[in-house]
Amino acid sequence: MPDITRRRAYTTAAAVAATASAAAPTAAPAATAAARHDHTAPDSFDEVYKGRRIQGGPASGGGHHHEHGGGYAVFVDGVQLHVMQNADGTWISVVSHYAPVATPRAAARAAVDELQGAPLLPFPTN
Amino acid sequence: MTVRKNQAALTADEKRRFVAAVLELKRNGRYDEFVRTHNEFIMSDTRTGRRGGPGHRLPLPFLPWHRRFLLDFEQALQSVDSSVALPYWDWSTDRTVRASLWAPDFLGGTGRSSDGRVMDGPFAASTGNWPVNVRVDGRTFLRRSLGTGVRELPTRAEVDSVLSMATYDMAPYNSASDGFRNHLEGWRGVNLHNRVHVWVGGQMATGVSPNDPVFWLHHAYNRQLWAEWQRRHPGAGYVPTGGTPDVVDLNDTMKPWNDVRPADLLTHTAHYTFDV
C-alpha cells in the first residue's frame, strides 16, 4: 500500500473489520511507517480476542479533535476505542479509564473484557 | 451554609431527599450534562503533557477541577431541594458491599454476575428512572461489580501515608509525578482515587463515571481529604504557581468555565463545611 497514506490504509482496515465477522486477520497497517513517524510508538496489532476483532496501530494527526492517543489508534470490531498513553508509558481507554495497563493491545483486551459482548459506540469527533 | 455529611450518618429523610433531587436532575436532562462534561474532560486530558494537533488542551488540574465540578452539581441539586448537600463516602471505613451506602434505600447494591446490571435501589434500570444516555457502549443500564476489578478499597493507613506527603505536586505535573496530588489521584503509589473507581466497576470504571451517583460521594470524600491535607500542611500550597508550559498554573483559568482559577478554589469553607 505504498501509494496511499497510513490513515487511509488504517481506515480501510477498520472498514474491513467492521464488515467481517471474526474473519482471519488481514494486513495490519505498516509498522515501518510508524517507526519513521515516532520511534516510541508501540507495534501494530490485529487479532481476534474473545470473538472480537481488535486492532491497533499508528494513526495520523488531524481528525482527532477530542482525544489524545499519542498518534495511536485502537479499534474494536472496527469502532475506534479512545485510548491515552500515560507519562510512564502505560495505557488506559475510555472504558477502563482508571486502571493503567502496559500496552495498547492490553487496553484493547481489557475493553473487550469490560464490554461483555456489547457494541462500542463511536466517540464524539467534534 | 451547606454541610457535607458522611453518608453513613444520613437520616432516612436526608437519603430520600438526596435521591429525589438526583432523580429530578436526571429527569430534566441536567444530570446528563454533567456526565458529558466529565467525559469530554477525560477525553481531552493529556497525561503526557505533549501537545499535538488542533483541539489539544492543557491537562486539567485534578483537585481544583473536581472541586468546582462538584460545586456545580451540588448547586444543581439545591435548585431542586435547597436542603440537600453532597454526602461523602469514606471508603477507608465503609469498605464492604454490606455498607448502608449500597442498601436499596440509598444507592442500591452491586450488579448481577451475568451482565453487571444493578437490580435494586432507586437507580436500577428496572425503575425506568435511570437510563444511561451518555455512554461509550450499547448498554443503557447502570452496572457495578463491587470488589471485582480490585479486591480491596484503600485503608486508613494508606490514606494517612498519602496525607503525610508535604508537597502538593511536583514536576512534570502529570501521572508520573511524586507528591500528594498524584498519590491521591492514584497514578502512582498506593493508589487511592483511581482504585475506588476500579473497585466499584461498571460505568464508574469508565470515562462516563458520573453515570453512577456514587461518583459524587467518592469525589466529595476526595475533596475532604484535600481539605485535611491543607490543615496538616498549612505552609504548602498549590503548585505550579506560574509560567509552566502545558500545565494549569495557580492563576490560569480552567476549562470548561474559563472564569475560575485554581487560586479561586483553594478554600472550600466559602462554599461548604464538613461534619467533622
Side-chain angles (χ1 to χ4, degrees):
Chain A
M1 304 183 287
D3 57 330
I4 59 175
T5 64
R6 283 186 292 118
R7 180 171 177 75
R8 277 199 55 206
Y10 210 81
T11 304
T12 304
V16 169
T19 52
S21 58
T26 59
T32 49
R36 281 199 303 274
H37 178 68
D38 178 357
H39 65 89
T40 64
D43 290 341
S44 300
F45 65 89
D46 186 339
E47 68 178 22
V48 175
Y49 175 75
K50 293 190 175 176
R52 304 185 73 170
R53 179 95 177 263
I54 56 173
Q55 297 166 286
S60 67
H64 303 301
H65 296 279
H66 222 270
E67 47 84 33
H68 291 255
Y72 196 92
V74 170
F75 296 82
V76 176
D77 291 339
V79 179
Q80 189 168 0
L81 171 70
H82 169 251
V83 295
M84 287 195 298
Q85 187 174 22
N86 290 319
D88 65 359
T90 59
W91 292 78
I92 52 176
S93 85
V94 73
V95 299
S96 188
H97 182 75
Y98 303 94
V101 292
T103 64
R105 186 198 300 254
R109 288 176 172 178
V112 169
D113 291 342
E114 208 286 327
L115 288 167
Q116 295 185 293
L120 191 64
L121 298 184
F123 59 82
T125 54
N126 54 19
Chain B
M1 172 62 78
T2 298
V3 179
R4 293 190 180 173
K5 294 182 182 174
N6 189 321
Q7 59 79 26
L10 295 182
T11 66
D13 186 56
E14 286 169 332
K15 290 180 189 181
R16 206 159 34 235
R17 286 172 171 270
F18 174 76
V19 166
V22 170
L23 290 176
E24 171 57 19
L25 292 183
K26 182 63 147 179
R27 194 199 60 77
N28 70 24
R30 293 180 70 187
Y31 194 95
D32 285 345
E33 286 307 309
F34 285 94
V35 186
R36 194 170 286 112
T37 295
H38 186 268
N39 196 39
E40 287 172 1
F41 155 64
I42 287 284
M43 306 248 290
S44 62
D45 189 13
T46 167
R47 299 186 181 279
T48 60
R50 284 183 302 194
R51 301 180 75 193
H56 286 215
R57 306 181 207 172
L58 298 180
L60 294 168
F62 177 66
L63 288 169
W65 193 92
H66 281 90
R67 180 165 278 172
R68 174 57 191 260
F69 191 55
L70 262 67
L71 279 169
D72 285 357
F73 183 71
E74 188 167 54
Q75 284 163 10
L77 289 174
Q78 291 172 345
S79 74
V80 175
D81 181 341
S82 60
S83 77
V84 171
L86 276 185
Y88 62 87
W89 168 33
D90 174 355
W91 25 255
S92 72
T93 300
D94 297 310
R95 45 188 294 105
T96 76
V97 298
R98 293 174 299 281
S100 59
L101 173 68
W102 308 113
D105 69 338
F106 201 14
L107 300 190
T110 192
R112 65 183 180 188
S113 59
S114 59
D115 60 1
R117 187 188 305 243
V118 170
M119 302 299 289
D120 67 352
F123 307 103
S126 57
T127 63
N129 293 327
W130 200 255
V132 175
N133 302 313
V134 181
R135 58 187 191 270
V136 294
D137 61 60
R139 294 168 290 182
T140 58
F141 50 90
L142 180 65
R143 291 177 295 114
R144 291 183 191 130
S145 50
L146 304 182
T148 301
V150 60
R151 218 161 53 82
E152 298 287 343
L153 287 164
T155 64
R156 184 63 215 185
E158 288 171 329
V159 169
D160 280 333
S161 74
V162 172
L163 289 175
S164 71
M165 295 177 177
T167 304
Y168 177 79
D169 202 355
M170 296 187 196
Y173 304 108
N174 61 24
S175 58
S177 290
D178 202 351
F180 169 70
R181 189 275 311 164
N182 197 38
H183 279 81
L184 174 61
E185 190 168 359
W187 301 110
R188 183 164 175 169
V190 297
N191 185 358
L192 302 183
H193 155 268
N194 283 353
R195 197 200 320 179
V196 176
H197 277 274
V198 175
W199 186 89
V200 174
Q203 282 88 2
M204 259 294 268
T206 75
V208 290
S209 46
N211 272 310
D212 191 327
V214 81
F215 173 93
W216 308 104
L217 284 76
H218 171 37
H219 275 274
Y221 186 55
N222 291 330
R223 305 289 79 71
Q224 190 193 333
L225 291 178
W226 186 19
E228 194 172 336
W229 179 86
Q230 289 172 316
R231 284 196 300 275
R232 287 201 197 188
H233 307 280
Y238 180 95
V239 287
T241 55
T244 317
D246 301 335
V247 173
V248 175
D249 289 315
L250 180 65
N251 291 304
D252 291 343
T253 56
M254 296 189 296
K255 291 175 183 294
W257 307 281
N258 296 319
D259 62 353
V260 63
R261 311 164 300 159
D264 303 320
L265 293 161
L266 301 182
T267 311
H268 68 277
T269 48
H271 307 285
Y272 54 87
T273 60
F274 291 107
D275 60 350
V276 289

